[in-house]
Amino acid sequence: MVEKKWCDEFSQWAASFSLEDVPQPVRTKAKIQVANTIAAAFGGWSADGRVMLAPMKERGGKGEATALGLGEVDLFTAYYINASLSMWHDYDDYVFMGHTGHSAVFAALAAAEVAGASGTDFLRGVIAATELGGRLGASVLVGPHNGQMWAHIHAAEAAAAACTVWGVPSQQTAEALKLALYAPPFVLEPGFMGGDGKKTTAAASGEAGLRAALFATGGASVKTDVFSGPKGFFQRFSFLPLTAFLSAFGETWVLETLSVKPYPGCAYIQAPVECLEAVVEEVSGSGKEFSASEIKRIRVNASLLTVGMEKMSEPYRNPGALAPVNVNFSVPLSLGLYILWDGLKTRQLTHANLVADAEKLFEIADRVTLDHDWRFTFELARGLRGGINLFPLLRSKGLFRLARAFRRFRKEQSRISTPRELWRLLSSGHLSRLREFGGSFSRKKHFQFSQTHLKALAFNFGARVEVELKSGSRWGAERVRHKGAAGCSIDELMDVLETKFLREAEHFTGSAGKAGELYTLLMDIEQTDIKAIKPYLLPPVS
């Protein structure tokens, strides 16, 4: 039974593991996730967040949990505000397979604050939630949703984080997960891509997960299997359930694949922006002027996923009502804004600023072309294949089920012209690279998540950017993956985090000294009293 296989297994592990059971690199990455998620929330607060969420704080209940920059409130209001802030600019982190930090960090933090729990228990809650969330995302990879629209993972993560922090027995934790996923949220793309709906994706579902945890501790339970069967969760949320991922808790760690974004925006805009930044530095270093008026055209080549993101988000852009989410999911708009504002700064990414500069922004973005390059798609596949071979798992489903599932998946998800891309592949000179993966599919091997090597996985969301100036000079830069993406060294990951955190925290607290103090506390959180970080999260003194 699917339910028995993973729900009880996870709950027993979450209730019993200690930090000493967690490999040191994984513990370090969990702390990086904590600091990064708080930095992302600081960025959201610095823009429109403090204004839009203020009524929620004013009407919320009193309590001991902290709503960043707004004050002390009840458990649910604190979580909702903080998870919204961290999702504000798509400035989060991601793992295989999900954007887990919003609920893992802020559900665990709220739960720890109201219970007076230790930094150790807080970090255990973060780890348990992320390990569950990444696996839940992977289990429905072939389905109607993808990536950040997997809102249901936050319901389960919040329940798991709270139960772990509070020391809830495994049986009640299992019931909390069933209650959390009995009514899973189903995100609608127009609301996600247009306006401010996306900001609530983790907040609304995670709040339900926290309530499920409390309900379960009071004795509530679900007596039936809500996961498997024709009317269960997996059949409703996936065209081809991959439940083999829901295993190996405490053996395989999705936190090994933690990736931190250097710029506000989707993972797919990171490498193009990094390339543009390199071009700007090179042009400026040569003594030439780099400005919007000097640019003739910008050409970007990237993977199929980057182009797919662009095509998904494009219909929801309205120059007269431009929102941050429209920029976050667009390569041309992100590059245009970087040029227009001399960088991507969270505190500038507001509705008012975007609407005011929309005409100038679109004028620059219209000079940017984004094309699929099979070289980057193969690099992406190679990076994933370095850590996990999905072919045995897919092969085990049978060709008929595979064909039917991918037909449904393509109808739901793809905006790409298959004939055109096949022609591009044939004419690209990269067709022979299919041999790199052919043997993997035909090899008779049973898939076991415990046998994967996620520490070797790389998220190669690469790109090449070429800028042609009106003077006729051409400049270019290329990245296989962005700084801070899985596949980088721990030193690089720490460098990206520290730069990002200190910048956002200084603007939030108003003090470089305070930003540094908070960073030190968070990176030693298992030895820190949770109460010690509260003063840094409360409303800054003007």
Side-chain angles (χ1 to χ4, degrees), residues 234-261:
F234 290 108
Q235 290 299 322
R236 297 295 190 186
F237 277 73
S238 176
F239 305 142
L240 190 76
L242 303 176
T243 54
F245 285 117
L246 290 159
S247 61
F249 297 103
E251 299 177 68
T252 296
W253 304 90
V254 301
L255 269 164
E256 292 274 21
T257 66
L258 183 73
S259 303
V260 172
K261 300 175 185 176

Side-chain angles (χ1 to χ4, degrees), residues 183-217:
F186 190 95
V187 171
L188 301 177
E189 182 178 292
F192 183 93
M193 283 294 178
D196 298 306
K198 170 193 171 288
K199 298 176 174 71
T200 70
T201 305
S205 54
E207 181 183 344
L210 287 173
R211 294 186 185 278
L214 289 175
F215 197 24
T217 60

Side-chain angles (χ1 to χ4, degrees), residues 363-377:
E363 195 277 326
I364 301 172
D366 286 343
R367 288 180 258 166
V368 179
T369 59
L370 172 63
D371 292 308
H372 173 221
D373 186 331
W374 274 101
R375 183 166 56 97
F376 289 108
T377 296

Side-chain angles (χ1 to χ4, degrees), residues 70-357:
L70 293 171
E72 291 186 315
V73 288
D74 64 279
L75 168 75
F76 308 111
T77 304
Y79 170 76
Y80 195 104
I81 288 174
N82 295 340
S84 296
L85 288 173
S86 64
M87 215 167 199
W88 211 262
H89 290 134
D90 223 68
Y91 201 20
D92 58 342
D93 48 73
Y94 55 98
V95 299
F96 181 91
M97 294 282 288
H99 296 252
T100 60
H102 311 289
S103 49
V105 172
F106 286 125
L109 179 61
E113 284 192 297
V114 299
S118 66
T120 294
D121 285 334
F122 162 68
L123 193 60
R124 287 182 62 250
V126 172
I127 292 170
T130 284
E131 291 301 319
L132 175 60
R135 287 166 167 82
L136 270 176
S139 72
V140 295
L141 177 63
V142 185
H145 285 147
N146 214 280
Q148 291 199 55
M149 287 194 281
W150 287 327
H152 63 272
I153 73 172
H154 300 293
E157 282 188 58
C163 287
T164 303
V165 170
W166 294 336
V168 174
S170 62
Q171 186 174 353
Q172 290 181 330
T173 299
E175 296 302 330
L177 295 177
K178 297 175 197 175
L179 289 165
L181 290 175
Y182 134 75
F186 190 95
V187 171
L188 301 177
E189 182 178 292
F192 183 93
M193 283 294 178
D196 298 306
K198 170 193 171 288
K199 298 176 174 71
T200 70
T201 305
S205 54
E207 181 183 344
L210 287 173
R211 294 186 185 278
L214 289 175
F215 197 24
T217 60
S221 64
V222 177
K223 304 297 184 184
T224 54
D225 181 356
V226 300
F227 301 116
S228 56
K231 293 186 180 297
F233 169 80
F234 290 108
Q235 290 299 322
R236 297 295 190 186
F237 277 73
S238 176
F239 305 142
L240 190 76
L242 303 176
T243 54
F245 285 117
L246 290 159
S247 61
F249 297 103
E251 299 177 68
T252 296
W253 304 90
V254 301
L255 269 164
E256 292 274 21
T257 66
L258 183 73
S259 303
V260 172
K261 300 175 185 176
Y263 311 98
C266 174
Y268 304 129
I269 70 104
Q270 302 295 315
V273 173
E274 186 177 324
C275 288
L276 177 64
E277 191 169 66
V279 168
V280 171
E281 291 176 0
E282 187 177 3
V283 172
S284 301
S286 72
K288 292 183 172 64
E289 180 184 0
F290 190 96
S291 64
S293 62
E294 294 298 313
I295 296 169
K296 183 177 181 180
R297 65 174 63 92
I298 299 175
R299 182 176 179 180
V300 182
N301 292 96
S303 74
L304 200 61
L305 293 185
T306 302
V307 175
M309 169 211 67
E310 194 72 36
K311 290 184 177 295
M312 178 177 72
S313 61
E314 194 171 22
Y316 304 106
R317 295 172 200 158
N318 179 1
L322 200 61
V325 68
N326 303 128
V327 177
N328 297 154
F329 286 86
S330 171
V331 170
L333 290 179
S334 290
L335 297 188
L337 204 60
Y338 185 98
I339 294 166
L340 185 63
W341 289 352
D342 192 26
L344 288 178
K345 304 176 181 68
T346 54
R347 56 186 177 274
Q348 288 181 296
L349 268 170
T350 67
H351 285 269
N353 288 341
L354 289 174
V355 171
D357 284 342

Side-chain angles (χ1 to χ4, degrees), residues 219-524:
S221 64
V222 177
K223 304 297 184 184
T224 54
D225 181 356
V226 300
F227 301 116
S228 56
K231 293 186 180 297
F233 169 80
F234 290 108
Q235 290 299 322
R236 297 295 190 186
F237 277 73
S238 176
F239 305 142
L240 190 76
L242 303 176
T243 54
F245 285 117
L246 290 159
S247 61
F249 297 103
E251 299 177 68
T252 296
W253 304 90
V254 301
L255 269 164
E256 292 274 21
T257 66
L258 183 73
S259 303
V260 172
K261 300 175 185 176
Y263 311 98
C266 174
Y268 304 129
I269 70 104
Q270 302 295 315
V273 173
E274 186 177 324
C275 288
L276 177 64
E277 191 169 66
V279 168
V280 171
E281 291 176 0
E282 187 177 3
V283 172
S284 301
S286 72
K288 292 183 172 64
E289 180 184 0
F290 190 96
S291 64
S293 62
E294 294 298 313
I295 296 169
K296 183 177 181 180
R297 65 174 63 92
I298 299 175
R299 182 176 179 180
V300 182
N301 292 96
S303 74
L304 200 61
L305 293 185
T306 302
V307 175
M309 169 211 67
E310 194 72 36
K311 290 184 177 295
M312 178 177 72
S313 61
E314 194 171 22
Y316 304 106
R317 295 172 200 158
N318 179 1
L322 200 61
V325 68
N326 303 128
V327 177
N328 297 154
F329 286 86
S330 171
V331 170
L333 290 179
S334 290
L335 297 188
L337 204 60
Y338 185 98
I339 294 166
L340 185 63
W341 289 352
D342 192 26
L344 288 178
K345 304 176 181 68
T346 54
R347 56 186 177 274
Q348 288 181 296
L349 268 170
T350 67
H351 285 269
N353 288 341
L354 289 174
V355 171
D357 284 342
E359 185 176 348
K360 296 177 184 177
L361 173 57
F362 276 90
E363 195 277 326
I364 301 172
D366 286 343
R367 288 180 258 166
V368 179
T369 59
L370 172 63
D371 292 308
H372 173 221
D373 186 331
W374 274 101
R375 183 166 56 97
F376 289 108
T377 296
F378 278 115
E379 281 300 312
L380 170 58
R382 184 183 62 81
L384 295 174
R385 178 65 180 82
I388 187 166
N389 181 8
L390 292 175
F391 291 117
L393 177 58
L394 296 175
R395 190 188 62 237
S396 70
K397 302 298 180 180
L399 288 178
F400 177 75
R401 287 185 67 195
L402 271 178
R404 183 176 62 181
F406 279 101
R407 272 200 308 270
R408 294 178 66 190
F409 181 80
R410 187 181 180 283
K411 181 179 179 181
E412 184 75 31
Q413 296 279 5
S414 180
R415 279 82 171 174
I416 305 296
S417 169
T418 302
R420 182 169 63 245
E421 292 307 327
L422 287 175
W423 172 251
R424 281 185 174 177
L425 176 59
L426 290 170
S427 59
S428 68
H430 296 295
L431 185 62
S432 61
R433 294 194 64 177
L434 286 172
R435 297 172 188 166
E436 299 175 23
F437 308 98
S440 300
F441 190 82
S442 61
R443 196 173 296 124
K444 300 294 183 182
K445 186 178 180 181
H446 180 65
F447 178 84
Q448 290 183 298
F449 197 39
S450 61
Q451 298 302 309
T452 56
H453 303 283
L454 292 187
K455 66 175 63 177
L457 183 146
F459 282 132
N460 292 340
F461 301 137
R464 176 166 181 79
V465 172
E466 294 182 354
V467 179
E468 182 181 353
L469 301 180
K470 291 178 180 178
S471 65
S473 62
R474 296 171 184 265
W475 307 78
E478 183 174 316
R479 299 290 186 270
V480 173
R481 59 179 175 270
H482 70 78
K483 291 179 182 177
C488 75
S489 67
I490 189 67
D491 289 338
E492 179 181 306
L493 192 64
M494 291 290 290
D495 285 345
V496 172
L497 169 70
E498 186 172 355
T499 299
K500 173 179 177 176
F501 184 89
L502 294 179
R503 179 178 61 245
E504 300 300 335
E506 180 179 353
H507 188 262
F508 177 84
T509 62
S511 165
K514 288 182 178 179
E517 291 168 8
L518 177 57
Y519 182 75
T520 300
L521 288 172
L522 293 176
M523 295 311 295
D524 195 28

